[in-house]
Amino acid sequence: MADEIILLDFWPSMFGMRVRVALAEKGLKYEYKEEDLRNKSPLLLEMNPVHKKIPVLIHNGKPICESLIIVQYIDEVWKDKAPLLPSDPYQRAQARFWADYVDKKPYELGRKIWSTKGEEQETAKKEFIECLKLLEGELGEKPYFGGEKIGFVDVALVTFSCWFHAYESFGNFSIEAECPKLIAWTKRCMEKESVSSSLEDPHKVHGFVMGMRKKLGIE
Amino acid sequence: MAAISLQTATMAEEVKLFGTWASPFSRRIEVALKLKGVQFEYIEENLSNKSPALLEYNPVHKKIPVLVHNGKPVAESLVILEYIDETWKHNPILPTDPYEKAIARFWAKYIDDKLWPAATKVLVSKGEEQKGVTEEIQEQLKTLESELKGKKFFGGESLGFVDIAANIIVFLLVAQEALGLMEILTEEQFPVLHEWYQRLVDDAVFKECVPPRERHLGFFKVRFGSSTASK
C-alpha cells in the first residue's frame, strides 16, 4: 500500500523548504500544494487549526505541523534511508540544540534586516553576523553540520541561504565577506540535488521580499 | 579566575543539573530524572552571578537548566527531556510511535512558544492589557484542554512529555494567587483541564518538583508585586 504524502507549503518559506529537503533526502514522492496565505485553504485550516500556518505534512490523512517536528517525523518514519539525526543520544541532543538555535536567532534577525531601517537594522545585521559566526564555529572543519553527510542542522539552516541575497541587498552588507566558511558550506549543500531542487532562486526571493517591503511601506 | 576542571568520565554515571529553584524549566528536568530514578547532583545557580561552570557548559545562551552527563552538557529544557528519555529508556515520557511523538512535541512547543510568553506578560501588565492577556491565556488553555481527549494525562495513564512541559501552568497559578490576579483556570470554564491539573499536582513525583509554596508565593510578590493586582 503506497504512502500518501501531501505538503502544504508557500514557495518562499524557508520552513517549508526544510520539509522539501527532508522528503527529497528520503527519496519520497509527494503532492505539493501551494497555499495562498491571504486566502488559506479549508484543508490548511482543518489540518493546522491551532496555528493555521505552513508547512503542514499530511501523511495518510494525518497532519504534522511545525517544520522541525515534521523533519524529525520524516526521519523517524523513513529511518532506513539517509538518516538526518545521529543515533547517539548526546549527538542527537546537540543537533536538536543547534536546530533550535537556528529557529530562535537567525530567523528573527533576518526578518529585521529586511523589514527595518536605521539603528534597528544595523543592530540586527550585527547580531545576525554574530549568529552565523557562532554557527561557523559549530561547523568547524566538518563538511556538514551532520559530519560527512547532511543532517538535521544542515536542513534547518541551509534553507535560509536562498534568503541571504535579499538580506544582503536590503541590509547593504556582504554575508560572504564576514562568514566565508558558512557560504562555502551553503555551496557544498547546494551541490546535492535534494537541496538544490528544494531551495528557491535567491532572485525570486529578493523579488518577493521587495514586494513585502512595498506592502509594509518600507522604502 | 577559578580553574575549571571538567569531570572526566568515570565508571559510575555522573549526572548534574544546573538550575534555579523557581524556574519551571529547571523543575521539568527534575521531574524527568526522578521519574526515571536517576541519581543526580543539583547545583543551584544565582542568575545575577552565574558560575564559571554554567558559562562553560552553556556558552551560547548562558541559561539554566543545563544537564551535565559524565561531563557532557545538554541545554534547552525540551532537548534535555528528550535526551533523558533516550538515555534512560525505562518509564518513557515520549511515545514510541512517530506520529504520537510528533503530536507530543507539537504541544510542548505550543506551551513554550505561546503559553509561556503570555504567562510572563500577564505578570507585568495592568488593567485592560492584563485582562486581554488573561483571555488569551484562557484561549490557549482551552486549546490544550481539547488535546486531553479523555486521557488521565497528556501522556496517557502516566505523566508524559507534555504534562512535564505544562508545569508552567502550575507556576502561573501560584503567581495568580500571589498577585491577586483574575482567576485563570476555573473549574467551570475548564472542567477537564481542572481535573487534569489536580491529578498533576497530586502526582507523587511531580509534587516533589515544584517550588516550596510559601517561598514561591513570596517570590512572585517581591518580583511582580506592587500595583499589578486587578480583579
Side-chain angles (χ1 to χ4, degrees):
Chain A
M1 199 159 77
D3 277 306
E4 188 200 54
I5 305 170
I6 301 172
L7 173 61
L8 305 182
D9 200 347
F10 177 55
W11 71 269
S13 164
M14 52 191 102
F15 303 103
M17 286 178 221
R18 288 167 168 177
V19 182
R20 291 178 228 167
V21 174
L23 290 167
E25 275 289 300
K26 304 282 184 178
L28 295 167
K29 291 197 160 38
Y30 64 98
E31 184 188 346
Y32 178 95
K33 283 196 164 147
E34 182 70 27
E35 283 287 331
D36 175 359
L37 298 184
R38 297 157 303 178
N39 186 20
K40 295 175 182 180
S41 72
L43 183 62
L44 175 57
L45 300 177
E46 184 192 335
M47 292 289 148
N48 191 359
V50 174
H51 300 300
K52 306 174 175 54
K53 285 180 165 183
I54 58 88
V56 180
L57 190 80
I58 310 172
H59 181 207
N60 295 333
K62 300 202 292 192
I64 303 103
C65 308
E66 296 299 314
S67 64
L68 294 182
I69 294 177
I70 298 172
V71 172
Q72 286 186 86
Y73 173 79
I74 290 169
D75 201 41
E76 288 161 16
V77 174
W78 291 279
K79 55 185 184 287
D80 298 324
K81 181 166 182 192
L84 295 171
L85 274 142
S87 47
D88 170 69
Y90 186 73
Q91 310 274 10
R92 290 161 75 83
Q94 295 312 300
R96 288 181 178 129
F97 174 87
W98 285 106
D100 173 72
Y101 179 82
V102 173
D103 262 2
K104 283 190 158 91
K105 300 270 184 171
Y107 175 67
E108 270 315 305
L109 294 169
R111 189 171 215 282
K112 283 191 177 164
I113 292 173
W114 68 257
S115 67
T116 66
K117 288 197 280 210
E119 180 119 26
E120 199 180 352
Q121 191 191 49
E122 284 309 306
T123 308
K125 277 160 63 179
K126 192 166 150 285
E127 288 181 18
F128 183 75
I129 291 296
E130 276 166 25
C131 285
L132 293 189
K133 285 202 158 111
L134 192 66
L135 286 160
E136 263 187 339
E138 176 55 22
L139 179 65
E141 297 308 310
K142 304 193 296 286
Y144 305 101
F145 287 91
E148 291 304 309
K149 300 211 172 114
I150 77 162
F152 192 54
V153 181
D154 301 277
V155 175
L157 182 61
V158 78
T159 62
F160 281 73
S161 66
C162 61
W163 279 66
F164 284 178
H165 170 57
Y167 295 158
E168 287 174 319
S169 160
F170 298 116
N172 192 29
F173 70 130
S174 160
I175 296 173
E176 185 157 14
E178 305 274 358
C179 306
K181 273 186 152 178
L182 201 73
I183 297 301
W185 162 81
T186 68
K187 291 182 177 156
R188 200 175 301 130
C189 290
M190 285 294 280
E191 284 166 16
K192 293 183 62 71
E193 165 100 40
S194 60
V195 177
S196 58
S197 64
S198 305
L199 268 53
E200 295 289 338
D201 176 348
H203 293 99
K204 248 185 113 185
V205 173
H206 183 275
F208 170 76
V209 177
M210 191 145 74
M212 296 281 283
R213 283 166 59 93
K214 284 208 174 89
K215 254 204 286 180
L216 293 169
I218 315 152
E219 273 298 313
Chain B
M1 190 156 94
I4 299 156
S5 64
L6 289 179
Q7 300 288 331
T8 50
T10 59
M11 287 299 278
E13 295 274 38
E14 193 196 54
V15 181
K16 293 184 183 195
L17 171 62
F18 289 78
T20 58
W21 69 276
S23 158
F25 304 103
S26 173
R27 294 290 184 167
R28 286 173 176 177
I29 312 306
E30 291 180 34
V31 175
L33 290 170
K34 291 199 160 135
L35 279 172
K36 308 258 184 183
V38 176
Q39 300 293 334
F40 65 99
E41 182 193 341
Y42 175 78
I43 294 124
E44 176 74 21
E45 278 288 325
N46 175 358
L47 297 183
S48 45
N49 187 18
K50 295 173 183 178
S51 72
L54 176 63
L55 299 177
E56 170 131 3
Y57 286 133
N58 190 2
V60 175
H61 299 302
K62 305 174 175 52
K63 286 180 168 184
I64 57 90
V66 179
L67 186 81
V68 182
H69 183 203
N70 293 335
K72 301 201 294 190
V74 183
E76 292 300 306
S77 67
L78 298 183
V79 174
I80 300 171
L81 290 181
E82 294 219 33
Y83 174 77
I84 290 172
D85 209 39
E86 288 172 4
T87 303
W88 294 279
K89 296 188 174 37
H90 53 285
N91 297 347
I93 58 180
L94 272 155
T96 40
D97 172 69
Y99 187 74
E100 297 302 319
K101 207 182 268 200
I103 299 296
R105 287 176 177 144
F106 175 88
W107 288 108
K109 188 175 201 294
Y110 179 82
I111 288 167
D112 275 3
D113 287 355
K114 299 279 175 186
L115 189 59
W116 171 249
T120 52
K121 205 167 167 196
V122 84
L123 303 186
V124 299
S125 55
K126 294 177 170 48
E128 277 309 302
E129 195 196 0
Q130 193 179 64
K131 191 154 172 280
V133 182
T134 306
E135 281 164 8
E136 205 185 305
I137 293 175
Q138 290 184 315
E139 273 167 38
Q140 291 165 358
L141 293 179
K142 260 277 162 252
T143 304
L144 256 178
E145 190 178 49
S146 69
E147 184 50 27
L148 263 172
K149 299 182 177 128
K151 299 193 300 260
K152 264 177 87 174
F153 294 103
F154 290 97
E157 281 301 301
S158 54
L159 291 197
F161 194 64
V162 179
D163 303 278
I164 299 173
N167 74 343
I168 286 180
I169 298 174
V170 178
F171 286 62
L172 176 61
L173 297 193
V174 174
Q176 167 208 300
E177 186 185 331
L179 304 174
L181 302 177
M182 191 177 130
E183 207 187 339
I184 300 172
L185 184 53
T186 65
E187 194 173 348
E188 282 178 301
Q189 287 170 283
F190 303 98
V192 174
L193 199 67
H194 193 263
E195 248 188 60
W196 160 84
Y197 182 81
Q198 295 307 322
R199 253 178 246 130
L200 184 72
V201 297
D202 281 341
D203 177 84
V205 172
F206 188 87
K207 67 179 173 202
E208 281 177 24
C209 306
V210 290
R213 194 177 148 70
E214 286 309 311
R215 195 176 167 201
H216 206 197
L217 285 166
F219 167 84
F220 283 116
K221 287 187 176 125
V222 165
R223 195 103 175 260
F224 302 101
S226 74
S227 50
T228 56
S230 84
K231 288 236 181 238

